[in-house]
Amino acid sequence: MNFEVIDNCFQVAVLFFSALAAIGAALRRKDRRFLILALFDICVSMGTLYWVLHIFIFGDVPQVFYVAEFSWLAAYLFLLSLQMFRIERVRTLFSLPSLFCALLTAAFVLVFRMFGPSYFVSAAFAVVMSAIVYIAVWRLRRRDGGGLIDCGLLLCVGLQLLLFVVSDFTHEYTHFNLYFAVDITLTLSFAALLPLELREVAGK
């Protein structure tokens, strides 16, 4: 079987159960952060589900990626919403190191034309990813701020960017290779955000 199908089915299954667990945590703890994580998981899995169904039905990868990419962009908007929810009572957010990391992230996205060829979609992705990085780095620099969840978010962003770079040099998706190793690690990193958020909430 084509390993791309296995990889995509694995991601859909993992994130589906992660979304169910996040919904359960949201109902038990009455905390919107877990609902945001559930929506993140659902958006990622829906984008991937479109991809894998296209392969099943038509026998090749989609030539128009925007159905999946808009779903993935929405997912990262939910992660940004989670970050903003966690800093809603903080007034001062400016930090030069955070700004440098955010600009570096945005430049990386634009140079590799991630979510291209549309400049608008690529720019939107750059803004969202750089904002997530900015807030995560800013929180990690605060003495009473970030923790493992911010490290997890930075890991997810880094792996997502790495996946796009690796895909530029990958031409064969039938067998396991570096692309799938990165993608599986990214999927597990997405799923790990829930226990990290549970730990953060329990520590307050």
Side-chain angles (χ1 to χ4, degrees):
M1 179 183 289
N2 189 325
F3 198 87
E4 187 171 20
V5 173
I6 297 173
D7 175 51
N8 289 334
C9 289
F10 172 77
Q11 184 174 87
V12 170
V14 168
L15 294 183
F16 174 76
F17 287 111
S18 181
L20 289 180
I23 292 171
L27 294 175
R28 286 195 309 272
R29 297 175 179 270
K30 303 289 192 286
D31 195 318
R32 286 177 291 173
R33 283 176 286 191
F34 299 110
L35 180 59
I36 293 172
L37 276 177
L39 293 171
F40 162 76
D41 290 331
I42 290 169
C43 282
V44 176
S45 59
M46 289 301 290
T48 305
L49 184 61
Y50 161 78
W51 192 276
V52 73
L53 286 177
H54 194 286
I55 295 174
F56 268 128
I57 295 170
F58 296 103
D60 59 356
V61 298
Q63 298 304 306
V64 179
F65 303 154
Y66 289 126
V67 175
E69 288 178 348
F70 276 126
S71 183
W72 295 329
L73 179 59
Y76 279 103
L77 280 169
F78 280 118
L79 282 191
L80 179 58
S81 299
L82 176 66
Q83 284 289 70
M84 295 177 72
F85 181 84
R86 296 167 67 234
I87 61 165
E88 61 182 5
R89 296 181 180 86
V90 180
R91 294 181 179 178
T92 305
L93 276 174
F94 183 72
S95 166
L96 281 176
S98 301
L99 181 61
F100 173 77
C101 293
L103 292 176
L104 186 64
T105 301
F108 197 83
V109 171
L110 294 174
V111 166
F112 283 92
R113 293 290 301 279
M114 298 174 186
F115 279 28
S118 168
Y119 284 106
F120 174 77
V121 178
S122 187
F125 185 62
V127 169
V128 173
M129 297 296 267
S130 60
I132 293 171
V133 168
Y134 184 96
I135 297 173
V137 173
W138 177 82
R139 282 183 56 86
L140 287 170
R141 288 178 54 80
R142 282 170 50 93
R143 293 179 182 177
D144 60 340
L148 290 176
I149 185 68
D150 293 287
C151 293
L153 289 169
L154 289 175
L155 178 62
C156 289
V157 170
L159 287 170
Q160 183 69 80
L161 299 183
L162 177 61
L163 186 67
F164 277 105
V165 174
V166 171
S167 68
D168 285 342
F169 301 96
T170 303
H171 306 289
E172 193 274 322
Y173 294 91
T174 304
H175 302 96
F176 181 82
N177 54 41
L178 179 60
Y179 174 87
F180 296 118
V182 175
D183 199 35
I184 290 170
T185 306
L186 178 62
T187 298
L188 296 176
S189 299
F190 286 158
L193 292 176
L194 176 59
L196 291 178
E197 188 61 38
L198 282 167
R199 180 172 178 176
E200 179 177 83
V201 171
K204 291 186 176 181

